[in-house]
Amino acid sequence: MQEVNNLAGSWHNRMPVFKSYWGGLVLVLACYVLVYGLLLWLTDFIPYVMDNNESFSSLGHAYNLYHGDLLKSFGLTDEAFSPFPDAHPVIHSHQGNWPRIYAFVLFALGARSIESQIFITTFTIGIASLFFVYHYFARFSIWFSVLASIILMTDYILFAQWNVVTYRVWHAFFVFSSLLCVHGLSGSHKKWWIFLTALNAACLFYGELVFAGFVTAWTGLYTLLLYFRKSFKNVLLGGFAQFTGMLLGVGILFMQLSAYMGFDTVIRDFKFTLWARNEASDPIALKKMLMNFYDSLNVAFFYNILDGAKFRDIISYVKSFFMYGFQIYTPVFSLIVLISFILGFFIFVNSDQAINRPSRFIRFFPHISRRLDANEVIAFLFLPLFAFWVCITFNQSLMGGLVSQGIPEIGRYYFLNCAILSILSGYLITKFSKLLTLNLAKHISYSSKIVFITAVFLLSIALILRKQPSLYNQDMMRIWFQELSTDLPISVWKGLFIFLVFLFTSMSLVRDKIQFQVLKEKPFGYLSKFLISGFIAYTIVYILSPGYVYSGYLTRYAPFYVFLLNTIIALGLFFVLTISWQIVQTFRAYALIYRPVMNNVFIKKRLASPSFKLITLGTTAFCCMITCSFLFYHWFFIQYQYINLLPPTHFGFVKMLREPEFYGKSSVSNTYSMPFSVQTNSWSYFDDDFDYSKFALNEERGYRPLTNLQYFWFRDRKINPQYSRPELYICFNQQNFESVMRELTGKGCYKGCSHKRLVSELLAKRKTLLNHEIIKRDESVKDSWTIVKLDWNFPPYLGRFQDREHIHIKAKENKPDKTGAVLAINYHYKQQDGKEESASILEVFRVLVENNEYEVGSKAYQTTSVKGGEAEIELPLGYYVVVLTPHSNEMVGNKIMSKPFEVSEEGIRNIGLVN
């Protein structure tokens, strides 16, 4: 039997690990170039999944920094994009915006198109970020480092789509550069690492401050956990370097802002920003105050006003991980990976010191520290296994659906069956765990401490399985249950889940008897500190600013805790891989030893047991390989389906804005307008309520559109009349999960551009005040964009006299026979651009008077052309109204009706009747 153990160990030592650090790095970089090169090529170098506006804004900011007046902006981010010098600057005060500095360098070197900016940034900062990821995790295992890097770079929703955004690509860079700086403090050239740590922190804090706080808290806690017992001096040095960099980055920003708006105003700006994102108990009043404050300072501010108090509870905190994180990967895949991660972490942390050293719990209960036999283990695991079998039988709970949607019919023997399954499961677990140790003895003892922890894990699995559906957004169930499904029945998923739980449980019972050679010595110290410090840092930032975390990151699926989630997923898959490899190599060892015996026709009865073990191990090894293959297939299948549901070519129409038909033309949009400004090289502004079918008529100024000017980011907005007449209206709706649900089900709050009032009226060919025209639009089901050519040829209108009337009617003279009168008609013709009157139409209608009411006839009694503001008409006795339609050479104004009047023998008189 010793021969079997030695041979199995030799197989373990020959695991196919990357012997070369550089071999793994080449593989990772090759995958990166392939994935992102293909992504950029297929999208014509303008990828846009849910959002890539920040790439355009970085280019716009670089343009303003290159061409702007530093004496006006003081080097701050200038959000105005306009060819008029007086329009600048309108600064963004809430961060220094480090990414625009890099975009400015590229711009100065000649990268002046959005395509070149995205390409260069993706293959410089993006590659550097992935190198940092690989290099950091290589401390744990080269295999795991390769796996973690590939998982991260292929996460389409939470990472890949943002890695081609020239602003967000810096997030991964700063997270792992900060962590690597921490490790550099313990190596050679410590002074250089202190300098790099401070420089890295300065650049980080010259960017988005909430993310900077998250990374700094993460790095600080990681430094403390890593060096607290080894070298507290390194903790002090790391804290000093990070604090120095923070002071430098924030200090530069603070000095710039103070020069622009004054010290006291900077403090008020900081307070208002925190209130708007976290303490907005009265959002209407706060928004009014904010608009007055920022409008007077020419500061760009996004009015994402939230009351963070509603998110500051444990349920919202937990849901922030599941609803905006694990839900992306489908609940069933996330559950399997999470269980693999939890049990795997327990199995692999198996040093003899950790097992043999009595814990405080065992000191108080010494009788628990004894060894247990198989029957005692079965009895100890009965309750958690019973809970597990009860929960696993719910039809949709495993898939993330609400239990109420699929409760099985509980018959008379339901719980009895679960009890029998629990006893049988415990028996199989003990037998299989014995087999895994390559021990052919009749009896094997188990550590009561390990058995106790395993039972707790099984109970936790049952609880998670029962409660997990409430953590997900059930409105999106169609996406993960159908669109991201591999068309396998639920029973297959249940079988896969049960197999992995039983496999991990069996191995956890004997974890002190199995060695895994694929890992480096004590590798989990780094990863445990990485995860613990990361989750604590996220918790701190979440408690301090939940509104900002939700509005700025979670609801946008922007990269924040994705580095933690992807590490958990990679570890879960890595543990499955490692355990599978352990099973496969154990099978190979058995097969090599017992091959001569099995080929012998004189097989003795006592050799039946090894033969059965060989079959069992072979079957398990085969199932492990199938499980690993399926999990990896499912991961990449999810990403492929997301590409189909949320294609990266969503913003492809923006390229046509550089055509002569659109280039140089101003625009207004229903969304953030910097991309359209960059492409047309003209000014543009954002007005989500834009609707030029509604106008207010001012007697002195003419027609004025009823628009929302809260994002009218031009310094000369009050004195430049050109801003009131953009040449194009660009409707664009970003795709998201709501748009996917609308496309799949026809239901939901998402509405395409054809539902905008202006676009819908033009599509329906309704008569409007102005002759706008749809030039191009998305005619697919998505209905995501429309370009409208705006017409500003306003119609003429009639002004009012002092008595507030539009038309004055007087009797010029009566006929001698008193059968009628000659009337003088006076009116004020106006057109706000000063266009002359052509030939206005004056119509006279008879009026039927009855019981103090009147009704205007359907056909005009008399029609004539008038001009110059006065006219004469002759009418017989009776009741009449005059309708005047002003005309210019190009447009026809609205018809204006006079009050009803009577032509009598004495002259004319107005009659106060009801129509």
Side-chain angles (χ1 to χ4, degrees), residues 379-395:
F380 204 92
L381 295 182
F382 174 78
L383 182 59
L385 284 172
F386 179 78
F388 173 79
W389 280 111
V390 169
C391 292
I392 197 66
T393 51
F394 288 111
N395 290 341

mmCIF file with all atom_site columns, all heavy atoms in Angstrom, residues 379-395:
data_model
loop_
_atom_site.group_PDB
_atom_site.id
_atom_site.type_symbol
_atom_site.label_atom_id
_atom_site.label_alt_id
_atom_site.label_comp_id
_atom_site.label_asym_id
_atom_site.label_entity_id
_atom_site.label_seq_id
_atom_site.pdbx_PDB_ins_code
_atom_site.Cartn_x
_atom_site.Cartn_y
_atom_site.Cartn_z
_atom_site.occupancy
_atom_site.B_iso_or_equiv
_atom_site.pdbx_formal_charge
_atom_site.auth_seq_id
_atom_site.auth_comp_id
_atom_site.auth_asym_id
_atom_site.auth_atom_id
_atom_site.pdbx_PDB_model_num
ATOM 1   N N   . ALA A 1 379 ? -23.882 10.301 11.703 1.00 0.00 ? 379 ALA A N   1
ATOM 2   C CA  . ALA A 1 379 ? -24.856 10.875 12.641 1.00 0.00 ? 379 ALA A CA  1
ATOM 3   C C   . ALA A 1 379 ? -24.671 12.384 12.771 1.00 0.00 ? 379 ALA A C   1
ATOM 4   O O   . ALA A 1 379 ? -25.645 13.145 12.851 1.00 0.00 ? 379 ALA A O   1
ATOM 5   C CB  . ALA A 1 379 ? -24.707 10.200 14.007 1.00 0.00 ? 379 ALA A CB  1
ATOM 6   N N   . PHE A 1 380 ? -23.407 12.823 12.757 1.00 0.00 ? 380 PHE A N   1
ATOM 7   C CA  . PHE A 1 380 ? -23.134 14.251 12.926 1.00 0.00 ? 380 PHE A CA  1
ATOM 8   C C   . PHE A 1 380 ? -23.583 15.054 11.706 1.00 0.00 ? 380 PHE A C   1
ATOM 9   O O   . PHE A 1 380 ? -24.027 16.204 11.839 1.00 0.00 ? 380 PHE A O   1
ATOM 10  C CB  . PHE A 1 380 ? -21.634 14.447 13.161 1.00 0.00 ? 380 PHE A CB  1
ATOM 11  C CG  . PHE A 1 380 ? -21.300 15.705 13.895 1.00 0.00 ? 380 PHE A CG  1
ATOM 12  C CD1 . PHE A 1 380 ? -21.194 15.703 15.275 1.00 0.00 ? 380 PHE A CD1 1
ATOM 13  C CD2 . PHE A 1 380 ? -21.088 16.891 13.216 1.00 0.00 ? 380 PHE A CD2 1
ATOM 14  C CE1 . PHE A 1 380 ? -20.893 16.875 15.965 1.00 0.00 ? 380 PHE A CE1 1
ATOM 15  C CE2 . PHE A 1 380 ? -20.785 18.053 13.888 1.00 0.00 ? 380 PHE A CE2 1
ATOM 16  C CZ  . PHE A 1 380 ? -20.696 18.055 15.269 1.00 0.00 ? 380 PHE A CZ  1
ATOM 17  N N   . LEU A 1 381 ? -23.496 14.444 10.523 1.00 0.00 ? 381 LEU A N   1
ATOM 18  C CA  . LEU A 1 381 ? -23.850 15.156 9.293  1.00 0.00 ? 381 LEU A CA  1
ATOM 19  C C   . LEU A 1 381 ? -25.317 14.987 8.902  1.00 0.00 ? 381 LEU A C   1
ATOM 20  O O   . LEU A 1 381 ? -25.746 15.536 7.884  1.00 0.00 ? 381 LEU A O   1
ATOM 21  C CB  . LEU A 1 381 ? -22.972 14.662 8.135  1.00 0.00 ? 381 LEU A CB  1
ATOM 22  C CG  . LEU A 1 381 ? -21.468 14.928 8.218  1.00 0.00 ? 381 LEU A CG  1
ATOM 23  C CD1 . LEU A 1 381 ? -20.778 14.409 6.960  1.00 0.00 ? 381 LEU A CD1 1
ATOM 24  C CD2 . LEU A 1 381 ? -21.173 16.411 8.412  1.00 0.00 ? 381 LEU A CD2 1
ATOM 25  N N   . PHE A 1 382 ? -26.064 14.238 9.692  1.00 0.00 ? 382 PHE A N   1
ATOM 26  C CA  . PHE A 1 382 ? -27.449 13.938 9.290  1.00 0.00 ? 382 PHE A CA  1
ATOM 27  C C   . PHE A 1 382 ? -28.289 15.222 9.146  1.00 0.00 ? 382 PHE A C   1
ATOM 28  O O   . PHE A 1 382 ? -28.955 15.427 8.130  1.00 0.00 ? 382 PHE A O   1
ATOM 29  C CB  . PHE A 1 382 ? -28.110 13.003 10.302 1.00 0.00 ? 382 PHE A CB  1
ATOM 30  C CG  . PHE A 1 382 ? -29.571 12.771 10.026 1.00 0.00 ? 382 PHE A CG  1
ATOM 31  C CD1 . PHE A 1 382 ? -29.972 11.890 9.026  1.00 0.00 ? 382 PHE A CD1 1
ATOM 32  C CD2 . PHE A 1 382 ? -30.552 13.460 10.732 1.00 0.00 ? 382 PHE A CD2 1
ATOM 33  C CE1 . PHE A 1 382 ? -31.316 11.683 8.743  1.00 0.00 ? 382 PHE A CE1 1
ATOM 34  C CE2 . PHE A 1 382 ? -31.889 13.268 10.465 1.00 0.00 ? 382 PHE A CE2 1
ATOM 35  C CZ  . PHE A 1 382 ? -32.281 12.383 9.460  1.00 0.00 ? 382 PHE A CZ  1
ATOM 36  N N   . LEU A 1 383 ? -28.258 16.068 10.168 1.00 0.00 ? 383 LEU A N   1
ATOM 37  C CA  . LEU A 1 383 ? -29.105 17.271 10.137 1.00 0.00 ? 383 LEU A CA  1
ATOM 38  C C   . LEU A 1 383 ? -28.740 18.206 8.989  1.00 0.00 ? 383 LEU A C   1
ATOM 39  O O   . LEU A 1 383 ? -29.625 18.620 8.234  1.00 0.00 ? 383 LEU A O   1
ATOM 40  C CB  . LEU A 1 383 ? -29.028 18.004 11.477 1.00 0.00 ? 383 LEU A CB  1
ATOM 41  C CG  . LEU A 1 383 ? -29.899 19.267 11.597 1.00 0.00 ? 383 LEU A CG  1
ATOM 42  C CD1 . LEU A 1 383 ? -31.364 18.916 11.384 1.00 0.00 ? 383 LEU A CD1 1
ATOM 43  C CD2 . LEU A 1 383 ? -29.692 19.935 12.957 1.00 0.00 ? 383 LEU A CD2 1
ATOM 44  N N   . PRO A 1 384 ? -27.462 18.574 8.798  1.00 0.00 ? 384 PRO A N   1
ATOM 45  C CA  . PRO A 1 384 ? -27.146 19.447 7.644  1.00 0.00 ? 384 PRO A CA  1
ATOM 46  C C   . PRO A 1 384 ? -27.454 18.802 6.303  1.00 0.00 ? 384 PRO A C   1
ATOM 47  O O   . PRO A 1 384 ? -27.896 19.483 5.372  1.00 0.00 ? 384 PRO A O   1
ATOM 48  C CB  . PRO A 1 384 ? -25.654 19.737 7.808  1.00 0.00 ? 384 PRO A CB  1
ATOM 49  C CG  . PRO A 1 384 ? -25.143 18.728 8.766  1.00 0.00 ? 384 PRO A CG  1
ATOM 50  C CD  . PRO A 1 384 ? -26.283 18.357 9.649  1.00 0.00 ? 384 PRO A CD  1
ATOM 51  N N   . LEU A 1 385 ? -27.252 17.496 6.176  1.00 0.00 ? 385 LEU A N   1
ATOM 52  C CA  . LEU A 1 385 ? -27.585 16.831 4.914  1.00 0.00 ? 385 LEU A CA  1
ATOM 53  C C   . LEU A 1 385 ? -29.085 16.794 4.688  1.00 0.00 ? 385 LEU A C   1
ATOM 54  O O   . LEU A 1 385 ? -29.557 16.937 3.551  1.00 0.00 ? 385 LEU A O   1
ATOM 55  C CB  . LEU A 1 385 ? -27.013 15.409 4.905  1.00 0.00 ? 385 LEU A CB  1
ATOM 56  C CG  . LEU A 1 385 ? -25.500 15.298 4.671  1.00 0.00 ? 385 LEU A CG  1
ATOM 57  C CD1 . LEU A 1 385 ? -25.042 13.864 4.874  1.00 0.00 ? 385 LEU A CD1 1
ATOM 58  C CD2 . LEU A 1 385 ? -25.125 15.791 3.282  1.00 0.00 ? 385 LEU A CD2 1
ATOM 59  N N   . PHE A 1 386 ? -29.844 16.627 5.762  1.00 0.00 ? 386 PHE A N   1
ATOM 60  C CA  . PHE A 1 386 ? -31.302 16.643 5.630  1.00 0.00 ? 386 PHE A CA  1
ATOM 61  C C   . PHE A 1 386 ? -31.769 18.027 5.157  1.00 0.00 ? 386 PHE A C   1
ATOM 62  O O   . PHE A 1 386 ? -32.603 18.142 4.256  1.00 0.00 ? 386 PHE A O   1
ATOM 63  C CB  . PHE A 1 386 ? -31.947 16.306 6.981  1.00 0.00 ? 386 PHE A CB  1
ATOM 64  C CG  . PHE A 1 386 ? -33.446 16.328 6.952  1.00 0.00 ? 386 PHE A CG  1
ATOM 65  C CD1 . PHE A 1 386 ? -34.151 15.260 6.416  1.00 0.00 ? 386 PHE A CD1 1
ATOM 66  C CD2 . PHE A 1 386 ? -34.152 17.413 7.458  1.00 0.00 ? 386 PHE A CD2 1
ATOM 67  C CE1 . PHE A 1 386 ? -35.539 15.267 6.389  1.00 0.00 ? 386 PHE A CE1 1
ATOM 68  C CE2 . PHE A 1 386 ? -35.531 17.432 7.431  1.00 0.00 ? 386 PHE A CE2 1
ATOM 69  C CZ  . PHE A 1 386 ? -36.231 16.354 6.896  1.00 0.00 ? 386 PHE A CZ  1
ATOM 70  N N   . ALA A 1 387 ? -31.221 19.097 5.750  1.00 0.00 ? 387 ALA A N   1
ATOM 71  C CA  . ALA A 1 387 ? -31.568 20.457 5.316  1.00 0.00 ? 387 ALA A CA  1
ATOM 72  C C   . ALA A 1 387 ? -31.166 20.678 3.861  1.00 0.00 ? 387 ALA A C   1
ATOM 73  O O   . ALA A 1 387 ? -31.882 21.319 3.080  1.00 0.00 ? 387 ALA A O   1
ATOM 74  C CB  . ALA A 1 387 ? -30.896 21.480 6.225  1.00 0.00 ? 387 ALA A CB  1
ATOM 75  N N   . PHE A 1 388 ? -30.019 20.127 3.484  1.00 0.00 ? 388 PHE A N   1
ATOM 76  C CA  . PHE A 1 388 ? -29.559 20.271 2.102  1.00 0.00 ? 388 PHE A CA  1
ATOM 77  C C   . PHE A 1 388 ? -30.526 19.605 1.131  1.00 0.00 ? 388 PHE A C   1
ATOM 78  O O   . PHE A 1 388 ? -30.897 20.178 0.105  1.00 0.00 ? 388 PHE A O   1
ATOM 79  C CB  . PHE A 1 388 ? -28.159 19.663 1.976  1.00 0.00 ? 388 PHE A CB  1
ATOM 80  C CG  . PHE A 1 388 ? -27.645 19.604 0.571  1.00 0.00 ? 388 PHE A CG  1
ATOM 81  C CD1 . PHE A 1 388 ? -27.115 20.728 -0.032 1.00 0.00 ? 388 PHE A CD1 1
ATOM 82  C CD2 . PHE A 1 388 ? -27.702 18.426 -0.162 1.00 0.00 ? 388 PHE A CD2 1
ATOM 83  C CE1 . PHE A 1 388 ? -26.645 20.680 -1.328 1.00 0.00 ? 388 PHE A CE1 1
ATOM 84  C CE2 . PHE A 1 388 ? -27.238 18.362 -1.459 1.00 0.00 ? 388 PHE A CE2 1
ATOM 85  C CZ  . PHE A 1 388 ? -26.705 19.498 -2.037 1.00 0.00 ? 388 PHE A CZ  1
ATOM 86  N N   . TRP A 1 389 ? -30.960 18.385 1.423  1.00 0.00 ? 389 TRP A N   1
ATOM 87  C CA  . TRP A 1 389 ? -31.855 17.671 0.513  1.00 0.00 ? 389 TRP A CA  1
ATOM 88  C C   . TRP A 1 389 ? -33.235 18.325 0.451  1.00 0.00 ? 389 TRP A C   1
ATOM 89  O O   . TRP A 1 389 ? -33.873 18.328 -0.607 1.00 0.00 ? 389 TRP A O   1
ATOM 90  C CB  . TRP A 1 389 ? -31.990 16.209 0.947  1.00 0.00 ? 389 TRP A CB  1
ATOM 91  C CG  . TRP A 1 389 ? -30.838 15.375 0.498  1.00 0.00 ? 389 TRP A CG  1
ATOM 92  C CD1 . TRP A 1 389 ? -29.879 14.806 1.276  1.00 0.00 ? 389 TRP A CD1 1
ATOM 93  C CD2 . TRP A 1 389 ? -30.513 15.047 -0.851 1.00 0.00 ? 389 TRP A CD2 1
ATOM 94  N NE1 . TRP A 1 389 ? -28.962 14.139 0.508  1.00 0.00 ? 389 TRP A NE1 1
ATOM 95  C CE2 . TRP A 1 389 ? -29.333 14.257 -0.809 1.00 0.00 ? 389 TRP A CE2 1
ATOM 96  C CE3 . TRP A 1 389 ? -31.080 15.322 -2.087 1.00 0.00 ? 389 TRP A CE3 1
ATOM 97  C CZ2 . TRP A 1 389 ? -28.722 13.757 -1.956 1.00 0.00 ? 389 TRP A CZ2 1
ATOM 98  C CZ3 . TRP A 1 389 ? -30.482 14.828 -3.229 1.00 0.00 ? 389 TRP A CZ3 1
ATOM 99  C CH2 . TRP A 1 389 ? -29.319 14.059 -3.158 1.00 0.00 ? 389 TRP A CH2 1
ATOM 100 N N   . VAL A 1 390 ? -33.680 18.883 1.561  1.00 0.00 ? 390 VAL A N   1
ATOM 101 C CA  . VAL A 1 390 ? -34.972 19.594 1.536  1.00 0.00 ? 390 VAL A CA  1
ATOM 102 C C   . VAL A 1 390 ? -34.893 20.804 0.620  1.00 0.00 ? 390 VAL A C   1
ATOM 103 O O   . VAL A 1 390 ? -35.791 21.060 -0.184 1.00 0.00 ? 390 VAL A O   1
ATOM 104 C CB  . VAL A 1 390 ? -35.389 20.013 2.962  1.00 0.00 ? 390 VAL A CB  1
ATOM 105 C CG1 . VAL A 1 390 ? -36.575 20.974 2.909  1.00 0.00 ? 390 VAL A CG1 1
ATOM 106 C CG2 . VAL A 1 390 ? -35.744 18.789 3.795  1.00 0.00 ? 390 VAL A CG2 1
ATOM 107 N N   . CYS A 1 391 ? -33.787 21.559 0.694  1.00 0.00 ? 391 CYS A N   1
ATOM 108 C CA  . CYS A 1 391 ? -33.657 22.785 -0.109 1.00 0.00 ? 391 CYS A CA  1
ATOM 109 C C   . CYS A 1 391 ? -33.377 22.487 -1.573 1.00 0.00 ? 391 CYS A C   1
ATOM 110 O O   . CYS A 1 391 ? -33.860 23.195 -2.460 1.00 0.00 ? 391 CYS A O   1
ATOM 111 C CB  . CYS A 1 391 ? -32.549 23.661 0.474  1.00 0.00 ? 391 CYS A CB  1
ATOM 112 S SG  . CYS A 1 391 ? -32.946 24.364 2.080  1.00 0.00 ? 391 CYS A SG  1
ATOM 113 N N   . ILE A 1 392 ? -32.627 21.436 -1.858 1.00 0.00 ? 392 ILE A N   1
ATOM 114 C CA  . ILE A 1 392 ? -32.243 21.174 -3.247 1.00 0.00 ? 392 ILE A CA  1
ATOM 115 C C   . ILE A 1 392 ? -33.425 20.701 -4.076 1.00 0.00 ? 392 ILE A C   1
ATOM 116 O O   . ILE A 1 392 ? -33.420 20.778 -5.304 1.00 0.00 ? 392 ILE A O   1
ATOM 117 C CB  . ILE A 1 392 ? -31.097 20.124 -3.306 1.00 0.00 ? 392 ILE A CB  1
ATOM 118 C CG1 . ILE A 1 392 ? -30.401 20.151 -4.675 1.00 0.00 ? 392 ILE A CG1 1
ATOM 119 C CG2 . ILE A 1 392 ? -31.628 18.736 -3.035 1.00 0.00 ? 392 ILE A CG2 1
ATOM 120 C CD1 . ILE A 1 392 ? -29.671 21.417 -4.953 1.00 0.00 ? 392 ILE A CD1 1
ATOM 121 N N   . THR A 1 393 ? -34.488 20.207 -3.414 1.00 0.00 ? 393 THR A N   1
ATOM 122 C CA  . THR A 1 393 ? -35.638 19.703 -4.168 1.00 0.00 ? 393 THR A CA  1
ATOM 123 C C   . THR A 1 393 ? -36.539 20.809 -4.686 1.00 0.00 ? 393 THR A C   1
ATOM 124 O O   . THR A 1 393 ? -37.429 20.538 -5.492 1.00 0.00 ? 393 THR A O   1
ATOM 125 C CB  . THR A 1 393 ? -36.474 18.757 -3.285 1.00 0.00 ? 393 THR A CB  1
ATOM 126 O OG1 . THR A 1 393 ? -36.765 19.402 -2.044 1.00 0.00 ? 393 THR A OG1 1
ATOM 127 C CG2 . THR A 1 393 ? -35.734 17.467 -3.028 1.00 0.00 ? 393 THR A CG2 1
ATOM 128 N N   . PHE A 1 394 ? -36.365 22.035 -4.233 1.00 0.00 ? 394 PHE A N   1
ATOM 129 C CA  . PHE A 1 394 ? -37.157 23.129 -4.788 1.00 0.00 ? 394 PHE A CA  1
ATOM 130 C C   . PHE A 1 394 ? -36.711 23.376 -6.223 1.00 0.00 ? 394 PHE A C   1
ATOM 131 O O   . PHE A 1 394 ? -35.528 23.514 -6.509 1.00 0.00 ? 394 PHE A O   1
ATOM 132 C CB  . PHE A 1 394 ? -36.987 24.399 -3.951 1.00 0.00 ? 394 PHE A CB  1
ATOM 133 C CG  . PHE A 1 394 ? -37.682 24.323 -2.623 1.00 0.00 ? 394 PHE A CG  1
ATOM 134 C CD1 . PHE A 1 394 ? -36.952 24.262 -1.455 1.00 0.00 ? 394 PHE A CD1 1
ATOM 135 C CD2 . PHE A 1 394 ? -39.065 24.297 -2.560 1.00 0.00 ? 394 PHE A CD2 1
ATOM 136 C CE1 . PHE A 1 394 ? -37.590 24.193 -0.227 1.00 0.00 ? 394 PHE A CE1 1
ATOM 137 C CE2 . PHE A 1 394 ? -39.697 24.226 -1.338 1.00 0.00 ? 394 PHE A CE2 1
ATOM 138 C CZ  . PHE A 1 394 ? -38.968 24.171 -0.174 1.00 0.00 ? 394 PHE A CZ  1
ATOM 139 N N   . ASN A 1 395 ? -37.675 23.477 -7.104 1.00 0.00 ? 395 ASN A N   1
ATOM 140 C CA  . ASN A 1 395 ? -37.389 23.407 -8.532 1.00 0.00 ? 395 ASN A CA  1
ATOM 141 C C   . ASN A 1 395 ? -36.514 24.545 -9.038 1.00 0.00 ? 395 ASN A C   1
ATOM 142 O O   . ASN A 1 395 ? -35.562 24.328 -9.755 1.00 0.00 ? 395 ASN A O   1
ATOM 143 C CB  . ASN A 1 395 ? -38.697 23.389 -9.326 1.00 0.00 ? 395 ASN A CB  1
ATOM 144 C CG  . ASN A 1 395 ? -39.435 22.082 -9.147 1.00 0.00 ? 395 ASN A CG  1
ATOM 145 O OD1 . ASN A 1 395 ? -38.848 21.090 -8.740 1.00 0.00 ? 395 ASN A OD1 1
ATOM 146 N ND2 . ASN A 1 395 ? -40.716 22.079 -9.428 1.00 0.00 ? 395 ASN A ND2 1
#
